[in-house]
Amino acid sequence: HVRSRRQRQMCIRDRCLSVDFLDLRAWIRSIDHFFLEAFMTNSAISNDQPVASAALRAVMGQYLTGVTIVTVTGPDNIPYGLTVNSFNSVSLTPPLILWSLDNRNDKLSLFHNCRGFAVNIMAADQLGICQTFAAAENDRFSRCNWHFGGYGQPLLANSLASLECRPWAEYDGGDHTIFVGEVMSITKADGNAAAFFKGKLGQYGDQ
């Protein structure tokens, strides 16, 4: 069967229209799928809630940390200190460390306005001192040996290490304030470390 030139052109045109129509339907389906997927994803994200504070506390108890006592010289050269395990290094150049303090602590302003602070890394045989500085004691320093360091901050004797720092930055950390310090002076000793695990003080190292 021989088709005229016009018939062949019409046939080709109809096929192109058919193909274009099929492509258009496929494109519409892909767009529908994209927006449906985006809607479902955004809905899932908007309905997500963070874990409960008790759950986070429990899981963080699985993380073994060292124990420090952060000290500061307050007005009239009166020392203050508290037991802290939220301590970590930040940077080597410049030498930075961080720790955090509960915003409900009534001594928070001491650290907001201080010229510096010290982080004392506690040894395994200093668990009693760790407990003293974690309790509601008014004169914690009377129960341990200490001295002022070269930068004017209280340093606890026989600690594994003491780092005197000057304030570098402060950050809002939810219900805590994060303090970043630039390390100005270090003392270091050998020994086993005090440790905190599952809500209990202990020790880490050769027994």
Side-chain angles (χ1 to χ4, degrees):
H1 179 68
V2 179
R3 297 182 180 179
S4 68
R5 183 178 178 181
R6 182 174 178 79
Q7 287 176 325
R8 288 197 302 269
Q9 289 176 339
M10 292 178 63
C11 182
I12 293 172
R13 185 193 63 186
D14 291 343
R15 287 179 181 175
C16 289
L17 288 173
S18 177
V19 171
D20 289 345
F21 179 70
L22 291 175
D23 289 344
L24 179 61
R25 287 197 301 178
W27 180 78
I28 291 173
R29 284 198 299 270
S30 69
I31 292 296
D32 286 344
H33 178 74
F34 171 79
F35 281 109
L36 178 61
E37 187 177 68
F39 173 77
M40 295 298 291
T41 301
N42 289 334
S43 296
I45 292 174
S46 64
N47 291 331
D48 279 349
Q49 296 294 325
V51 300
S53 57
L56 180 59
R57 178 188 292 273
V59 76
M60 291 306 295
Q62 302 293 99
Y63 180 54
L64 176 69
T65 72
V67 183
T68 72
I69 293 178
V70 178
T71 55
V72 64
T73 300
D76 300 323
N77 285 332
I78 297 175
Y80 172 75
L82 73 164
T83 302
V84 170
N85 72 328
S86 58
F87 165 72
N88 209 342
S89 61
V90 176
S91 167
L92 295 178
T93 308
L96 303 178
I97 56 87
L98 66 77
W99 64 284
S100 62
L101 181 60
D102 192 323
N103 291 331
R104 297 171 297 180
N105 189 291
D106 60 358
K107 302 295 185 181
L108 182 65
S109 61
L110 282 179
F111 295 98
H112 280 315
N113 303 314
C114 70
R115 292 182 298 174
F117 57 83
V119 179
N120 301 272
I121 300 175
M122 306 309 290
D125 59 0
Q126 294 180 304
L127 298 183
I129 298 175
C130 296
Q131 292 171 333
T132 296
F133 278 77
E137 297 283 343
N138 291 325
D139 191 13
R140 299 168 178 176
F141 286 86
S142 66
R143 301 194 178 190
C144 65
N145 295 322
W146 65 279
H147 64 278
F148 286 115
Y151 286 84
Q153 302 308 317
L155 304 183
L156 304 184
N158 304 315
S159 300
L160 282 184
S162 294
L163 301 83
E164 280 190 275
C165 306
R166 64 183 179 188
W168 177 272
E170 292 182 20
Y171 298 100
D172 177 19
D175 56 10
H176 280 58
T177 297
I178 301 167
F179 295 95
V180 179
E182 182 179 24
V183 182
M184 304 303 296
S185 174
I186 289 176
T187 61
K188 179 179 177 294
D190 292 326
N192 295 335
F196 189 74
F197 183 63
K198 292 187 176 180
K200 296 181 180 179
L201 284 169
Q203 57 181 307
Y204 177 83
D206 298 330
Q207 304 298 315

